[in-house]
Each structure stands twice: as C-alpha cells, then as structure tokens.
C-alpha cells in the first residue's frame, strides 16, 4: 500500500465515521427519517473523489451489515440493509461515487459541484424510492409521498451545506495531500 493510499484510507474511514454519526442526527418522518447521513455521503464524494467516496460509504455499509448500530435509529445488521430503507443506504454509495466523479472531472468548479451534488441526491432517491415501494407494497404515488416529498427541502439544505463545506475544506485537504489547489 502506498503512503497516499494509506492516507486516503484513513480519510475514507473518517468519512464513514461521520456518515455513522449523521445517522444519529435525525428527525423521524415515517418509514424514512430525515438524517444528516446524506450530507456526509455527498461530502465524502466531493472531498475524496468518486473512488474514495465510494470506499467510505462501503466501509459504512459493511460495518452496519456486521451489526454495529450505525444506521438510523441506532440500528445495524443485514436485515436493515434489505428492509424498506435499504435502497436509500445503497443509494448513498451511488451518490458518493457520482458526486465525486463529476466533481473531479469538472475540476471542482462551483457550478459543476452544485450539479454533482444535485445528481448525487437524485441517485439516493432513484435507489431508495423503488426499493421502498418494493419492500412495502406501496403505490408509486405513496412511495414518492412518503419517501421523497418530505425530504426535498431538508435535502436541498444539506446539499447546499455539502457544497459550502467542500469549498471550505478542499484547500485544507489538498495541502495535507500535497496537491496543488
């Protein structure tokens, strides 16, 4: 393992920890609570890039699958991954990867980062809503009503926060990694 890979592994683990902490910062709204996890998922992609952002979410999902209480409401285990919220959890992986890849390719220009975060957020819904519908037997309308509509404004606020945090933290991270800004 190269020193840069070791450093990035540590950063990915730290982001996985923040994603887990975000699960505890929640407001219950039915089958899917409002949590800060997706803020940290998007931030992982923006700060670490697509590959390492995906690794950070992978670590988080693996730890949760092993039974550690890192999912919303302090839950863990495989059953939680395949339950009604599982699609959102897997959507986190897609969101981190896509947001990170788009941000990297756009050289972290602000408008590209905003689009990357928007698409990343949509990835969570694209994975979560069909999964919620399938697991609960809800109609599409009901799944959208309980699995997306209440979260649009909070997710927009978290997306803005992710963009602003990434803008502030990226120069610090680049200095630590020895990368030109």
């Amino acid at each position: 393992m190269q020193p840069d890979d070791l450093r990035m592994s540590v950063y990915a683990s730290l982001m996985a920890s923040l994603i887990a902490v975000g699960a505890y910062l929640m407001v219950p709204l039915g089958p899917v609570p409002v949590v800060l996890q997706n803020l940290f998922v998007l931030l992982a992609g923006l700060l670490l890039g697509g590959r390492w952002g995906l690794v950070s979410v992978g670590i988080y999902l693996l730890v949760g699958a092993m039974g550690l209480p890192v999912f919303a409401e302090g839950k863990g285990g495989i059953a939680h991954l395949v339950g009604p919220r599982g699609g959102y959890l897997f959507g986190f992986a897609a969101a981190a990867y896509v947001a990170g890849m788009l941000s990297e390719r756009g050289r972290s220009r602000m408008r590209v980062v905003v689009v990357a975060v928007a698409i990343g957020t949509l990835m969570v819904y694209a994975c979560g809503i069909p999964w919620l519908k399938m697991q609960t037997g809800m109609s599409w309308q009901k799944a959208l009503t309980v699995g997306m509509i209440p979260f649009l404004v909070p997710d927009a606020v978290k997306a803005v926060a992710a963009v602003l945090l990434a803008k502030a933290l990226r120069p610090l991270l680049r200095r630590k990694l020895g990368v030109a800004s």
Side-chain angles (χ1 to χ4, degrees):
M1 181 178 272
Q2 299 297 321
D4 286 342
D5 286 343
L6 178 59
R7 186 173 292 145
M8 291 305 291
S9 296
V10 170
Y11 288 140
S13 297
L14 288 171
M15 289 308 301
S17 298
L18 286 174
I19 295 167
V21 168
Y24 284 87
L25 305 172
M26 59 170 271
V27 176
L29 281 182
V32 183
V34 173
V35 292
L36 286 184
Q37 289 165 295
N38 41 350
L39 164 66
F40 295 118
V41 163
L42 293 169
L43 198 55
L46 295 177
L47 292 178
L48 305 180
R51 176 179 166 224
W52 287 103
L54 176 61
V55 168
S56 69
V57 176
I59 292 167
Y60 166 73
L61 294 175
L62 178 63
V63 167
M66 292 174 19
L68 285 144
V70 297
F71 299 140
E73 299 174 343
K75 296 188 178 174
I78 297 282
H80 197 68
L81 282 175
V82 297
R85 299 177 189 168
Y88 295 96
L89 293 170
F90 289 114
F92 289 166
Y97 181 75
V98 168
M101 290 302 286
L102 291 173
S103 177
E104 287 175 312
R105 288 192 178 142
R107 295 191 178 98
S108 302
R109 289 186 307 251
M110 186 56 77
R111 71 173 181 256
V112 175
V113 170
V114 169
V115 169
V117 166
I119 293 172
T121 300
L122 291 174
M123 295 299 297
V124 174
Y125 291 134
C127 295
I129 293 166
W131 190 285
L132 178 66
K133 178 194 179 316
M134 181 181 71
Q135 290 295 316
T136 62
M138 292 179 184
S139 67
W140 281 108
Q141 182 178 350
K142 177 77 171 174
L144 288 168
T145 300
V146 301
M148 185 178 80
I149 303 299
F151 305 99
L152 291 174
V153 171
D155 285 349
V157 170
K158 290 181 276 186
V160 169
V163 169
L164 295 175
L165 284 168
K167 183 179 179 184
L169 294 173
R170 230 188 235 124
L172 300 171
L173 186 60
R174 286 188 175 140
R175 266 183 276 173
K176 282 287 190 194
L177 295 173
V179 176
S181 293

